[in-house]
């Protein structure tokens, strides 16, 4: 295994800028893992093109002074990148090649980043385990019989196995934070509106947000510094100047006030996860923060409100895949109705169909008031409770998931249980607030446990700084799974 793989983004970037390591060397080290199965983490990669890009950067007249220069990364397969197909892990888009790069890809390209490949995910981002992909599931790097977490499963597994140094995911209800937790990584969902959704295939537009997964908070800050910013092509993009996050990482959290909502530590929480998260509170206290219990009664409505709204938005966003203008076209149909029906029947998987049905139902004339309007009210209440709490506290500390990564197959047969596992993560999407997940120990079943920090709107600096302080005290983020640097085709059923 190449020693390069063990470096952080910042360390590798520094070595490249100093000329100690070449982008081609970095690319080859990562390709040895990413191009070799990588536990189902990748849907597509083009090794030749990647090496070409690395050579071009190496020989380029001007070196770009950015921490990401020359550092290979991967993109979730719902982010448009002209170099490869964008499939959303769905039969519906299996042959879709985007004609343009997403905003985040443009920014990364300008910073001299190298996109190694596109990563596996739950179909259209719908799932919490990485198992609803048409290409087959992603395996947890720490335990091959467990899931990697979803929906950005491949992005997490790729970084965790040493297939790249960081990856972008998208987070609609926890899809960056949950896989980060299950794979032992640091991942952040930024404030809604700070990272453009231009070129991100829509799932639930009022929740979707792109975020980085990497090994530590400093790497996340470096990536966010590049991808955030105002974009006039996204009407929900926040205008204004964005401060540099990396420069603000002091690790000084003296006097910082952190609340732990007691409702997030209820009976549904696995006792070992509870214990690991409580230990985080002690570490933060030792660094000078004040951590105390607080109340968040509206948490009980979060999952219901989220799934009603997410499915409703998914139902309308996915209406465009009609076999005529977009997506898979069923062969041999006699008339437009049949074409529409067959294309969607063949193109979408079971979980996506379930969401479309649910979404159509909650928006239908007779039921709108009973479900969608109520969900809007619940969302408002949750927002108010969070803003009240964040007047008193700088951050909120909670678990990421109620238990450790489930076994493969377990959740597919029990969708309700899968939905409930999103209880702690969906709040940040319902409120638009920034939230980070980082590793804080292990479960006795062998997989990492994550902890979540949620901050006020545009409070990424606080969230990252607290995580940075924690990571200066602990080394959970430095642990690597046994398969690290090795690739491996276990349970791989996709194409390469
Ligand atoms: N698990 C949640 C869902 O299925 C969140 C997924 C996501 O964030 N993309 O909707």
């Amino acid at each position: 295994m190449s020693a390069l793989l063990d470096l952080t983004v910042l360390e590798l970037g520094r070595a490249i800028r100093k000329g100690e390591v070449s982008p081609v060397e970095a690319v080859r080290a990562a390709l040895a893992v990413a191009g070799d199965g990588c536990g189902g983490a990748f849907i597509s990669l083009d090794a030749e093109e990647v090496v070409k890009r690395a050579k071009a950067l190496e020989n380029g007249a001007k070196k770009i002074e950015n921490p990401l220069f020359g550092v290979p990364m991967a993109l979730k397969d719902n982010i448009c990148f002209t170099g490869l197909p964008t499939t959303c892990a769905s039969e519906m888009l299996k042959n879709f090649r985007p004609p343009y790069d997403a905003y985040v890809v443009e920014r990364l390209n300008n910073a001299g980043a190298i996109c190694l490949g596109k990563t596996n995910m739950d179909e259209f981002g719908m799932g919490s385990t990485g198992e609803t992909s048409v290409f087959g599931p992603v395996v947890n790097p720490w335990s091959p019989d467990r899931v990697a977490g979803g929906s950005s499963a491949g992005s997490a597994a790729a970084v965790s196995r040493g297939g790249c140094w960081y990856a972008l995911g998208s987070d609609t209800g926890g899809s960056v934070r949950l896989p980060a937790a299950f794979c032992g990584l640091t991942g952040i969902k930024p404030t809604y509106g700070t990272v453009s959704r231009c070129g991100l295939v829509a799932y639930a537009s009022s929740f979707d947000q792109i975020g980085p997964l990497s090994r530590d908070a400093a790497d996340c800050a470096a990536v966010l510094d590049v991808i955030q910013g105002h974009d006039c092509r996204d009407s929900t993009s926040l205008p204004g100047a964005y401060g540099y996050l990396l420069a603000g990482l002091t690790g000084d959290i003296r006097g910082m006030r952190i609340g732990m909502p007691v409702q997030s530590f209820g009976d549904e929480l696995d006792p070992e996860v509870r214990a690991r998260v409580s230990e985080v509170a002690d570490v933060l206290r030792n660094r000078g923060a004040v951590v105390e219990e607080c109340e968040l009664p509206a948490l009980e409505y979060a999952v219901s409100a989220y799934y009603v709204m997410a499915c409703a938005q998914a139902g309308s966003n996915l209406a465009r895949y009609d076999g005529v203008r977009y997506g898979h076209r069923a062969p041999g149909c006699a008339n437009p109705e049949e074409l529409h029906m067959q294309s969607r029947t063949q193109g979408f998987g079971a979980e996506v169909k379930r969401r479309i049905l649910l979404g159509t139902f909650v928006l239908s004339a007779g039921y709108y008031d009973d479900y969608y309007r109520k969900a809007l009210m619940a969302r408002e209440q949750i927002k108010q409770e969070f803003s009240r709490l964040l007047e008193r506290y700088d951050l909120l500390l909670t678990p990421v998931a109620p238990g450790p990564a489930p076994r493969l197959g377990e959740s597919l047969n029990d969708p309700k249980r899968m939905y409930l596992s999103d209880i702690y993560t969906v709040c940040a999407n319902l409120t638009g607030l920034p939230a980070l997940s980082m590793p804080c120990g292990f479960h006795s079943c062998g997989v990492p446990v994550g902890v979540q920090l949620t901050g006020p709107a545009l409070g990424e600096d606080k969230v990252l700084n607290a995580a940075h302080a924690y990571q200066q005290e602990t080394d959970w983020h430095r642990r690597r799974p046994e398969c690290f640097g090795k690739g491996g085709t276990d349970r791989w059923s996709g194409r390469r």
Side-chain angles (χ1 to χ4, degrees):
M1 184 197 91
S2 165
L4 291 183
L5 295 180
D6 205 38
L7 301 179
T8 64
V9 171
L10 292 181
E11 289 165 347
L12 178 63
R14 213 173 294 128
I16 289 176
R17 290 196 310 285
K18 277 199 205 153
E20 296 164 0
V21 176
S22 77
V24 174
E25 278 174 88
V27 154
R28 291 206 199 280
L31 278 176
V33 182
D36 182 26
C38 207
F42 284 88
I43 287 178
S44 57
L45 59 83
D46 186 339
E48 251 171 60
E49 273 305 311
V50 179
V51 174
K52 248 194 236 161
R53 160 97 175 136
K55 281 192 178 144
L57 287 176
E58 215 165 290
N59 304 328
K62 89 174 195 308
K63 295 276 175 284
I64 302 167
E65 268 309 310
N66 190 288
L68 306 187
F69 177 77
V71 180
M73 53 88 183
L75 297 169
K76 186 174 180 177
D77 211 15
N78 59 355
I79 298 174
C80 290
F81 169 60
T82 46
L84 290 167
T86 294
T87 69
C88 291
S90 177
E91 188 67 42
M92 189 54 98
L93 288 177
K94 225 171 181 174
N95 301 314
F96 174 58
R97 258 197 185 250
Y100 63 94
D101 282 327
Y103 172 86
V104 290
V105 175
E106 284 177 3
R107 299 287 293 235
L108 287 168
N109 279 340
N110 293 341
I114 301 174
C115 175
L116 210 63
K118 304 295 297 289
T119 58
N120 205 351
M121 55 185 280
D122 282 297
E123 187 177 359
F124 282 101
M126 298 176 191
S128 311
T129 62
E131 294 172 289
T132 70
S133 163
V134 74
F135 300 105
V138 181
V139 174
N140 189 304
W142 294 87
S143 169
D145 60 343
R146 291 187 184 262
V147 306
S151 64
S152 312
S155 290
V159 178
S160 171
R161 297 179 83 110
C164 58
W165 280 264
Y166 67 98
L168 293 191
S170 66
D171 191 311
T172 305
S175 281
V176 162
R177 292 160 286 155
L178 205 59
F182 288 174
C183 294
L185 300 175
T186 308
I188 180 166
K189 183 210 75 88
T191 306
Y192 184 79
T194 55
V195 178
S196 168
R197 292 181 292 111
C198 175
L200 169 69
V201 180
Y203 160 14
S205 313
S206 79
F207 301 137
D208 296 342
Q209 199 65 185
I210 294 172
L213 293 110
S214 61
R215 287 172 190 143
D216 61 27
D219 281 0
C220 279
V223 179
L224 270 189
D225 277 339
V226 171
I227 62 170
Q228 66 178 14
H230 180 245
D231 175 16
C232 55
R233 288 166 298 179
D234 171 359
S235 62
T236 58
S237 169
L238 290 177
Y242 289 67
Y244 277 101
L245 295 165
L246 188 56
L249 290 188
T250 58
D252 183 1
I253 55 166
R254 281 171 299 174
M256 190 178 249
R257 294 182 55 79
I258 300 175
M260 290 173 77
V262 289
Q263 286 78 3
S264 302
F265 295 84
D267 291 341
E268 72 283 355
L269 187 61
D270 178 284
E272 289 185 46
V273 176
R274 178 194 311 267
R276 298 294 81 78
V277 174
S278 307
E279 287 159 11
V280 177
D282 295 334
V283 174
L284 296 173
R285 278 192 192 104
N286 284 340
R287 295 280 299 209
V290 180
V291 188
E292 57 185 39
E293 287 186 346
C294 59
E295 296 285 336
L296 182 63
L299 183 68
E300 81 172 284
Y301 308 123
V303 171
S304 320
Y306 168 78
Y307 273 97
V308 167
M309 299 185 72
C311 291
Q313 295 179 40
S316 29
N317 274 327
L318 271 55
R320 74 190 66 169
Y321 304 107
D322 53 9
V324 179
R325 291 166 305 167
Y326 293 102
H328 169 77
R329 179 173 296 187
C333 294
N335 55 55
E337 284 74 29
E338 194 189 333
L339 174 72
H340 188 238
M341 194 165 74
Q342 284 306 325
S343 299
R344 289 171 70 84
T345 302
Q346 294 166 13
F348 291 135
E351 184 60 33
V352 174
K353 285 178 186 151
R354 185 180 296 129
R355 309 272 179 123
I356 294 174
L357 288 176
L358 208 65
T360 310
F361 173 76
V362 298
L363 288 179
S364 59
Y367 292 101
Y368 180 89
D369 284 347
D370 286 349
Y371 296 105
Y372 200 76
R373 216 168 62 88
K374 268 204 188 137
L376 283 173
M377 285 159 63
R379 182 184 197 179
E380 203 41 50
Q381 193 174 334
I382 293 165
K383 271 189 179 169
Q384 281 176 16
E385 282 188 18
F386 268 88
S387 64
R388 238 173 281 136
L389 281 178
L390 288 164
E391 278 166 19
R392 272 199 289 142
Y393 299 103
D394 296 295
L395 298 177
L396 300 175
L397 178 74
T398 62
V400 181
R407 288 181 189 285
L408 280 157
E410 219 170 65
S411 315
L412 280 180
N413 307 321
D414 191 353
K416 201 168 133 208
R417 190 166 144 216
M418 182 177 83
Y419 298 169
L420 288 172
S421 72
D422 296 338
I423 178 157
Y424 308 125
T425 49
V426 294
C427 292
N429 306 81
L430 288 163
T431 55
L433 300 173
L436 168 143
S437 160
M438 64 178 169
C440 63
F442 285 85
H443 195 271
S444 55
C445 70
V447 290
V449 171
V451 60
Q452 175 171 245
L453 292 169
T454 305
L458 300 175
E460 277 80 355
D461 52 345
K462 283 186 185 175
V463 173
L464 287 162
N465 203 28
H468 184 60
Y470 177 79
Q471 291 178 336
Q472 288 180 326
E473 278 316 295
T474 57
D475 71 348
W476 303 116
H477 60 290
R478 295 209 180 84
R479 306 291 178 93
R480 308 281 181 257
E482 227 179 273
C483 65
F484 185 75
K486 287 190 198 139
T489 50
D490 29 356
R491 273 180 186 267
W492 171 255
S493 54
R495 66 178 181 197
R496 236 172 282 157

